[in-house]
Amino acid sequence: MNGDDDDEVVAASAVDTSLPLEWRFSQVFGERSAGEEVQEVDVISAIEFDHSGDHLATGDRGGRVVLFERSPVTNSSGGDRRDVEETDYPPLRHPEFRYKTEFQSHDPEFDYLKSLEIEEKINKIRWCQTANGALFLLSTNDKTIKYWKVQDKKIKKICQVNSDPPGNASSSSITTACLGNGGGVPEAISSLRLPVVTSHESSPVARCRRVYSHAHDYHINSISNNSDGETFISADDLRINLWNLEISNQSFNIVDVKPEKMEDLSEVITAAEFHPTHCNMLAYSSSKGSIRLLDLRQSALCDSHSKLFEEPEAAGPKSFFTEIIASVSDIKFAREGRYLLSRDYMTLKLWDINMDSGPVSTFQVHEYLKPKLCDLYENDSIFDKFECCISGNGLRAATGSYSNLFRVFGVSPGSTETATLEATRNPMRRHVPVPSKPSRLGGIARVVGRGTESPAVDGSSSNALDYKTKLLHLAWHPSENSIACAAGNSLYMYYA
Amino acid sequence: MAMVDEPLYPIALLIDELKNDDIQLRLNSIRRLSTIARALGEERTRKELIPFLSENSDDDDEVLLAMAEELGVFIPFVGGIEHAHVLLPPLESLCTVEETSVREKAVDSLCKIGSQMKESDLVDSFVPLVKRLAAGEWFAARVSACGLFHVAYQGCTDVLKTELRSSYGQLCQDDMPMVRRAAASNLGKFATTVESTFLNAEIMTMFDGLTKDEQDSVRLLAVEGCAALGKLLEPQECVARILPVIVNFSQDKSWRVRYMVANQLYELCEAVGPDCTKTDLVPAYVRLLRDNEAEVRIAAAGKVTKFCQLLNPELAIQHILPCVKELSSDSSQHVRSALASVIMGMAPILGKDSTIEHLLPIFLSLLKDEFPDVRLNIISKLDQVNQVIGIDLLSQSLLPAIVELAEDRHWRVRLAIIEYVPLLASQLGIGFFDDKLGALCMQWMQDKVYSIREAAANNLKRLAEEFGSEWAMQHIVPQVLDMVNNPHYLHRMMALRAISLMAPVMGSEITCSKFLPVVVEASKDRVPNIKFNVAKLLQSLIPIVDQSVVDKTIRQCLVDLSEDPDVDVRYFANQALRSIDAAAVAQS
């Protein structure tokens, strides 16, 4: 059933998606003016679209969460937006977003028992089920997960009260009523009034509904909602815990890879995600480059995985860096849950969860860095954790690189599409622009080759490569070809 | 402040505070909503207060929760049953908030109100409310709706009933798992109100759908439905339709579903009746007892006694006992612990011979378990087995287990065993106790941990109560009095504590002859802590002993203490002296 769905999607979208996309700049928030220093606290550390694609959330190192909402220009009625989209509404314009609100999600803390400072940096944001017109999301720093509700609240003013301060005009009416009747009780009762509330304009208000804390000894790297709508997981370096959204004082440990002696530690958990539709399936990746698929039905403590996805050992010579660059930095399920995208330092890989012999395809993200691994190790860049994202239709995937570059790959079978963009107002500035016409003839495929960097790019960018400006976080709109990515403190959005 | 009429002023304040910025004040006002309503009168309550509350549904959850609760008992304040419908709108809006506890309370209150409403009112206002919620845009409304059908259904017209049934059927297939979960957990309640013809056809179809749901969380709630529906169906229908589902569930791929079956097994057995239990559910239960998931075994092991009560001893010995034997050496300590907490209950079911033959070895092996909780669970239920086989057979292995627990590394374990000592004492009898346990009781008095020493002192009191003061005079009192001379001041203090606890039990004579001289001696201790504890102790002795003793001995001792250099000693001595005076005044 699952496979059929995928085929349908591929078949249906094959018509308009065989062409490589032409990416255009859409918007930027928090653009840096020339020479402006980036404040550390403003650096974006998490990006996430909600399920409808109408909202976008970013988290930053300063513990703030900023929400953006889709500008209503594209659609007339806000409430039925989903219906409108379903009824084959041609997107007249690309999605445009506007600032909605922001709130301080996490503050710096100090763990006195362990003498540890806990940074306020937001590691991950995940959207939850919308209810009653309010938005719900989970945000986490290294240790504490918080459940937020953001709702438009009317600003209220209360007038007409019974006991006004002296001098207020309205109080005199009660006084006279009482005096006039000599304190007669029936009349006096009628003088009791309920407060009248007048509402003025509304503004979004964020309220923290629950705090899930004290469950992680190590740093939380992922949170992920279950399709059942009531549970979520949080993963740190060695353990994965299962929570009920409504219960913040207990969680169940479902994966524990901590060895008896810490000296024996050879592998840590780097990311974890629930399957998008099967409530019992969960994938997590490790620093050794493997991805494990778990079935929560099998047992309470999932020590044994039901499937293991690993790259078959490469024959070539191993270097000191082989193991370091194998570490998976992010995994994402495609929408139907059959395919799984993973990112390690050098590559982006697509896996079919029905095929555990190896990835379906591997894309080189920045092959030209291979000779520079030693430098990258020395300046710790080799430990950078790049995220990856996959488009709603599962045809393309994107991931980041250095110099604020990010790359988009066609991941559907037979696709040779690759694009390199820079997170600036002019994404194609430093690159050979993707020729829109010739690509139809497959020209670019012959020249560039599948998933490899074009020589021109290699030549032009490697000299000027800037390890400090790295594009770690990005997200793909769930239903449209729109990508949001973070370059330092700026949020850039592109569409095709 | 304005001059609202004097008696009304508090109420005016309460009303104003319904909208105060301070949540505590709002909460306080909501809690006293009935007072406000009474002051306003029925009509104004209906016309003003209730509409006002209806618009209040964006308040804090705590306030909303209190409001949902208050409104459930508000019928008298709006003018009785005929006006009950005015209460529905505020509760309806509370049914749609996203906080589960508020919704649940609102549903509760609506059920309370609906069950009192007249049939015509029910049809006019309650049923439309349920239909609105069931068709709600957000899942929260639909979740709430599931809990209201059973009230709405009664007293409806046939047309409406058909509508409600189909509406519930849709909720069972809702896109949102939360709604399906609510539908699954309320199906049993709804089914009790549905006529039997529809029960077999429609409700069972919904049930079948839920049992095949792809979400584990829905399926496991359907397990509870098995028991509820089974009780409503004719026996042969139940066997034909429910039993296969239970057997299937007991082999579900998800351990959580199997866990639910294990937990609910007793109710499920009741539903299908004894015959099917013996033929079909015994194998299912045996499978659960041998499940590869420890959580499932824990749940199953905890039900072993209840399940055996449904069987005859032969079946229990033949099928269940072998599993119990395996579980007693299960790799999970929690499984063994769960087994230990119920296994003693099997003794009366199996009878003396079978117990000695089959159960006793299991008891004994659990008593030697390396995990203290397991041993404690056995000891705590000792009385049950004692009634069947007598203590003699057990005592040989019991004693080492107790001694080991008494010296366990974890003070909480020691504490737990101390609490069982009086029970053990009564079960084992004086003779056995004197030989083996008496020494332990005194040893605890000198434990490193205060809680243990405190519990030990209490234990001495309870033993004195159990065996009487004469026995206590021989076996406890001398040791306690000895301890007053212990070089360690904390131990001396413990002796005083024991004296103060035992004095009321031992009575005036022994207190005067044995305890008092020692206490007076202790008042000359060099440690101030001891001295002010003496003062406190003397104070507690006042009601026990004669007035003459108070005047002669206690007062003098306290007067001495009240001139002590230490401020605390003086303080407590003076307090005790004052209480002597107070007692004297009270008597005269």
Side-chain angles (χ1 to χ4, degrees):
Chain A
M1 180 189 157
N2 213 13
D4 291 347
D5 283 354
D6 280 353
D7 292 345
E8 263 168 50
V9 171
V10 172
S13 41
V15 187
D16 60 312
T17 50
S18 55
L19 301 174
L21 297 173
E22 206 173 314
W23 289 95
R24 293 194 179 88
F25 170 77
S26 162
Q27 280 175 288
V28 58
F29 294 96
E31 193 182 22
R32 217 176 346 146
S33 53
E36 185 189 332
E37 279 282 302
V38 179
Q39 293 293 316
E40 176 77 4
V41 289
D42 293 332
V43 172
I44 295 173
S45 55
I47 301 183
E48 187 80 3
F49 279 105
D50 76 346
H51 312 289
S52 67
D54 291 341
H55 296 95
L56 174 69
T58 64
D60 64 25
R61 288 178 170 270
R64 280 163 303 189
V65 171
V66 184
L67 301 187
F68 300 90
E69 63 185 350
R70 198 168 173 157
S71 308
V73 209
T74 43
N75 277 303
S76 46
S77 57
D80 315 324
R81 183 167 296 147
R82 220 180 311 156
D83 303 339
V84 175
E85 275 172 10
E86 276 164 10
T87 55
D88 204 17
Y89 189 82
L92 294 174
R93 294 178 56 185
H94 60 272
E96 271 198 10
F97 284 78
R98 65 178 182 195
Y99 171 87
K100 182 180 170 74
T101 186
E102 69 176 80
F103 55 91
Q104 189 72 36
S105 170
H106 287 74
D107 289 305
E109 282 177 86
F110 191 79
D111 181 339
Y112 293 96
L113 287 177
K114 293 181 181 151
S115 284
L116 272 180
E117 265 182 70
I118 303 170
E119 277 185 74
E120 66 273 35
K121 177 188 156 220
I122 306 290
N123 287 347
K124 279 279 154 49
I125 294 175
R126 285 289 178 270
W127 290 86
C128 303
Q129 205 78 55
T130 316
N132 298 351
L135 302 169
F136 291 87
L137 53 86
L138 289 167
S139 61
T140 186
N141 65 356
D142 285 339
K143 298 284 177 185
T144 309
I145 306 151
K146 291 183 179 179
Y147 185 45
W148 290 92
K149 173 190 179 184
V150 182
Q151 191 174 31
D152 282 334
K153 270 222 158 178
K154 293 209 170 88
I155 297 163
K156 286 189 172 159
K157 197 172 180 305
I158 294 136
C159 45
Q160 203 181 1
V161 288
N162 292 306
S163 48
D164 279 328
N168 194 317
S170 69
S171 67
S172 58
S173 65
I174 298 171
T175 320
T176 48
C178 296
L179 289 175
N181 268 286
V185 173
E187 279 300 309
I189 284 175
S190 68
S191 71
L192 287 177
R193 297 177 196 169
L194 290 167
V196 174
V197 179
T198 53
S199 337
H200 297 269
E201 75 273 31
S202 61
S203 72
V205 175
R207 271 164 69 184
C208 183
R209 305 279 300 177
R210 287 192 176 78
V211 178
Y212 314 87
S213 52
H214 308 301
H216 285 280
D217 287 337
Y218 305 92
H219 290 183
I220 298 174
N221 53 46
S222 317
I223 46 177
S224 174
N225 302 90
N226 192 319
S227 56
D228 67 7
E230 71 171 349
T231 54
F232 71 92
I233 47 163
S234 55
D236 67 22
D237 297 340
L238 297 179
R239 298 192 179 98
I240 302 178
N241 292 335
L242 178 70
W243 301 82
N244 188 313
L245 275 170
E246 310 223 318
I247 301 165
S248 55
N249 59 3
Q250 65 171 4
S251 70
F252 296 95
N253 179 238
I254 51 174
V255 175
D256 188 347
V257 300
K258 189 177 176 188
E260 236 157 74
K261 281 189 240 138
M262 278 307 257
E263 301 94 81
D264 300 338
L265 183 70
S266 64
E267 192 172 18
V268 297
I269 299 168
T270 53
E273 195 176 51
F274 262 123
H275 189 280
T277 52
H278 297 312
C279 61
N280 56 306
M281 266 160 60
L282 154 73
Y284 76 89
S285 61
S286 83
S287 56
K288 275 193 168 168
S290 58
I291 300 167
R292 289 176 174 82
L293 198 64
L294 301 178
D295 185 352
L296 297 182
R297 287 178 186 175
Q298 276 176 350
S299 64
L301 193 63
C302 300
D303 290 333
S304 58
H305 51 83
S306 52
K307 269 185 188 164
L308 175 68
F309 302 97
E310 256 177 339
E311 180 91 64
E313 199 127 328
K318 276 197 201 171
S319 74
F320 171 70
F321 304 111
T322 311
E323 215 172 277
I324 299 176
I325 62 170
S327 176
V328 177
S329 54
D330 193 22
I331 53 171
K332 290 273 161 62
F333 273 105
R335 185 143 73 178
E336 274 78 21
R338 177 162 166 203
Y339 293 99
L340 184 68
L341 192 67
S342 74
R343 168 73 205 257
D344 54 44
Y345 192 64
M346 296 300 284
T347 69
L348 185 70
K349 294 190 175 88
L350 186 75
W351 306 80
D352 181 342
I353 62 167
N354 298 327
M355 181 176 108
D356 49 10
S357 56
V360 181
S361 35
T362 304
F363 306 92
Q364 298 298 333
V365 180
H366 32 218
E367 183 81 340
Y368 51 87
L369 290 182
K370 208 145 214 182
K372 302 201 167 67
L373 287 176
C374 207
D375 298 342
L376 293 163
Y377 179 76
E378 303 238 302
N379 63 17
D380 275 350
S381 294
I382 204 165
F383 301 105
D384 285 336
K385 296 188 83 178
F386 290 99
E387 289 181 359
C388 58
C389 60
I390 190 159
S391 66
N393 55 18
L395 297 174
R396 292 180 184 83
T399 191
S401 176
Y402 292 100
S403 302
N404 281 344
L405 297 178
F406 68 98
R407 308 206 60 202
V408 181
F409 300 98
V411 298
S412 54
S415 168
T416 54
E417 183 182 344
T418 68
T420 306
L421 295 97
E422 189 189 9
T424 57
R425 280 178 178 272
N426 178 10
M428 301 299 179
R429 181 161 61 111
R430 287 158 62 167
H431 308 279
V432 186
V434 178
S436 48
K437 294 289 176 190
S439 70
R440 202 179 293 165
L441 306 168
I444 190 138
R446 252 176 281 132
V447 177
V448 176
R450 183 174 169 78
T452 52
E453 196 75 26
S454 87
V457 172
D458 199 351
S460 69
S461 63
S462 58
N463 295 331
L465 203 63
D466 181 357
Y467 300 131
K468 288 212 182 94
T469 55
K470 51 202 169 194
L471 198 149
L472 299 175
H473 310 283
L474 75 180
W476 200 303
H477 190 279
S479 55
E480 283 165 52
N481 283 324
S482 168
I483 293 177
C485 56
N489 62 336
S490 315
L491 176 70
Y492 284 91
M493 303 193 65
Y494 300 93
Y495 73 99
Chain B
M1 289 281 165
M3 308 294 158
V4 178
D5 195 35
E6 194 69 11
L8 284 177
Y9 181 72
I11 292 176
L13 208 59
L14 268 184
I15 293 178
D16 288 350
E17 282 173 358
L18 281 171
K19 280 288 171 194
N20 198 293
D21 284 340
D22 183 349
I23 178 176
Q24 268 314 315
L25 294 177
R26 290 204 302 278
L27 207 52
N28 178 47
S29 276
I30 289 282
R31 291 233 171 273
R32 300 183 57 190
L33 218 47
S34 54
T35 314
I36 296 174
R38 222 177 274 135
L40 287 174
E42 292 169 358
E43 200 182 334
R44 290 194 65 194
T45 299
R46 287 199 297 274
K47 290 202 175 130
E48 294 176 39
L49 183 62
I50 300 296
F52 168 80
L53 294 175
S54 303
E55 286 170 11
N56 200 22
S57 64
D58 62 345
D59 209 327
D60 283 314
D61 295 330
E62 287 152 282
V63 178
L64 296 182
L65 186 69
M67 190 162 111
E69 189 167 7
E70 294 297 323
L71 288 176
V73 293
F74 227 59
I75 292 181
F77 305 108
V78 294
I81 295 297
E82 56 267 36
H83 295 291
H85 62 90
V86 303
L87 294 173
L88 302 185
L91 285 169
E92 182 176 349
S93 62
L94 290 178
C95 277
T96 63
V97 302
E98 74 280 346
E99 178 58 39
T100 312
S101 56
V102 176
R103 282 204 310 268
E104 278 170 359
K105 191 56 88 184
V107 167
D108 266 6
S109 291
L110 274 176
C111 288
K112 258 191 226 164
I113 293 169
S115 59
Q116 297 174 57
M117 281 168 83
K118 283 191 298 197
E119 279 184 12
S120 57
D121 286 346
L122 210 59
V123 172
D124 288 342
S125 51
F126 198 87
V127 174
L129 173 146
V130 175
K131 287 202 290 196
R132 272 197 305 278
L133 287 174
E137 185 191 353
W138 303 105
F139 72 87
R142 303 202 294 276
V143 166
S144 297
C146 293
L148 295 170
F149 274 74
H150 67 284
V151 177
Y153 195 79
Q154 288 160 324
C156 263
T157 59
D158 286 347
V159 182
L160 276 178
K161 282 184 172 176
T162 315
E163 222 176 294
L164 285 178
R165 285 196 306 275
S166 86
S167 169
Y168 201 90
Q170 278 178 357
L171 291 172
C172 290
Q173 299 171 22
D174 199 280
D175 282 346
M176 293 281 186
M178 300 83 153
V179 180
R180 298 204 300 277
R181 276 197 292 276
S185 48
N186 284 294
L187 188 67
K189 251 191 275 175
F190 182 45
T192 52
T193 62
V194 174
E195 299 80 355
S196 59
T197 45
F198 301 121
L199 190 65
N200 285 335
E202 299 182 22
I203 298 289
M204 285 310 290
T205 316
M206 296 176 204
F207 175 68
D208 287 342
L210 292 170
T211 59
K212 297 187 181 81
D213 200 285
E214 52 169 18
Q215 288 280 346
D216 298 348
S217 53
V218 178
R219 284 207 310 285
L220 63 89
L221 288 171
V223 174
E224 289 180 49
C226 286
L229 287 173
K231 284 173 190 155
L232 300 172
L233 292 169
E234 297 293 318
Q236 68 266 37
E237 276 289 313
C238 178
V239 171
R241 307 197 64 169
I242 302 286
L243 191 62
V245 176
I246 298 175
V247 173
N248 255 336
F249 273 153
S250 75
Q251 303 171 65
D252 197 279
K253 268 186 293 190
S254 167
W255 70 266
R256 284 166 70 198
V257 175
R258 298 198 302 273
Y259 172 88
M260 278 301 266
V261 175
N263 243 336
Q264 297 272 317
L265 201 73
Y266 183 76
E267 288 76 16
L268 297 174
C269 291
E270 278 185 330
V272 299
D275 293 336
C276 289
T277 298
K278 282 169 197 157
T279 55
D280 294 282
L281 290 186
V282 168
Y285 184 59
V286 168
R287 260 198 308 275
L288 292 172
L289 285 172
R290 292 183 168 143
D291 200 281
N292 58 14
E293 172 55 47
E295 297 286 340
V296 177
R297 294 201 302 276
I298 291 171
K303 302 284 172 189
V304 79
T305 296
K306 263 186 135 184
F307 191 80
C308 286
Q309 279 166 355
L310 296 170
L311 305 175
N312 52 32
E314 292 87 72
L315 272 179
I317 291 169
Q318 196 188 336
H319 295 288
I320 308 298
L321 212 54
C323 300
V324 170
K325 264 182 207 148
E326 286 171 29
L327 290 178
S328 69
S329 54
D330 195 279
S331 58
S332 160
Q333 59 190 35
H334 302 290
V335 174
R336 300 197 304 272
S337 177
L339 182 71
S341 67
V342 296
I343 193 178
M344 305 306 262
M346 281 181 80
I349 301 168
L350 297 182
K352 184 168 181 175
D353 293 342
S354 303
T355 300
I356 293 174
E357 191 187 336
H358 300 291
L359 278 185
L360 197 59
I362 300 177
F363 291 160
L364 299 183
S365 86
L366 289 173
L367 259 181
K368 293 185 196 109
D369 200 281
E370 55 177 358
F371 186 55
D373 269 13
V374 178
R375 283 174 275 159
L376 270 177
N377 281 345
I378 286 284
I379 289 171
S380 65
K381 300 283 165 54
L382 205 62
D383 45 336
Q384 289 174 358
V385 75
N386 189 21
Q387 284 156 13
V388 181
I389 57 168
I391 205 74
D392 298 343
L393 271 169
L394 264 184
S395 53
Q396 285 168 324
S397 19
L398 195 58
L399 193 70
I402 296 172
V403 172
E404 217 175 296
L405 285 170
E407 290 161 354
D408 196 280
R409 210 158 50 81
H410 300 286
W411 66 268
R412 285 174 203 280
V413 173
R414 299 201 296 274
L415 187 63
I417 192 72
I418 293 176
E419 315 218 311
Y420 288 121
V421 161
L423 172 78
L424 284 171
S426 66
Q427 298 285 322
L428 297 166
I430 291 189
F432 184 83
F433 185 86
D434 286 349
D435 293 347
K436 322 278 183 190
L437 294 183
L440 271 179
C441 291
M442 294 316 293
Q443 181 188 319
W444 282 320
M445 287 286 286
Q446 303 189 9
D447 198 277
K448 287 197 302 290
V449 177
Y450 171 76
S451 294
I452 300 294
R453 297 196 300 271
E454 170 74 16
N458 244 317
N459 176 47
L460 292 183
K461 180 191 101 175
R462 287 168 68 186
L463 286 174
E465 283 169 349
E466 180 73 40
F467 293 144
S469 56
E470 203 169 308
W471 175 87
M473 270 306 291
Q474 280 179 3
H475 296 91
I476 303 180
V477 174
Q479 282 100 317
V480 171
L481 295 183
D482 234 26
M483 249 178 87
V484 177
N485 300 321
N486 193 296
H488 197 315
Y489 89 96
L490 285 174
H491 293 164
R492 297 200 296 278
M493 208 136 87
M494 226 44 237
L496 294 177
R497 175 80 187 133
I499 288 172
S500 80
L501 285 167
M502 281 164 67
V505 181
M506 304 301 282
S508 152
E509 196 182 319
I510 295 176
T511 303
C512 294
S513 62
K514 294 281 176 190
F515 291 155
L516 205 52
V518 179
V519 174
V520 171
E521 193 56 35
S523 74
K524 302 182 182 80
D525 202 285
R526 62 195 161 80
V527 179
N529 283 29
I530 299 287
K531 287 189 282 192
F532 74 65
N533 272 298
V534 165
K536 284 199 227 174
L537 171 55
L538 287 174
Q539 185 177 355
S540 75
L541 292 183
I542 294 165
I544 300 167
V545 297
D546 284 346
Q547 187 63 36
S548 58
V549 182
V550 173
D551 291 336
K552 204 169 66 195
T553 327
I554 295 186
R555 184 184 289 276
Q556 185 50 51
C557 181
L558 285 171
V559 168
D560 291 348
L561 285 173
S562 71
E563 286 152 14
D564 195 89
D566 188 275
V567 60
D568 289 322
V569 177
R570 290 201 302 276
Y571 172 78
F572 284 107
N574 281 321
Q575 261 206 336
L577 282 171
R578 270 197 295 278
S579 82
I580 293 179
D581 298 337
V585 170
Q587 270 175 9
S588 65

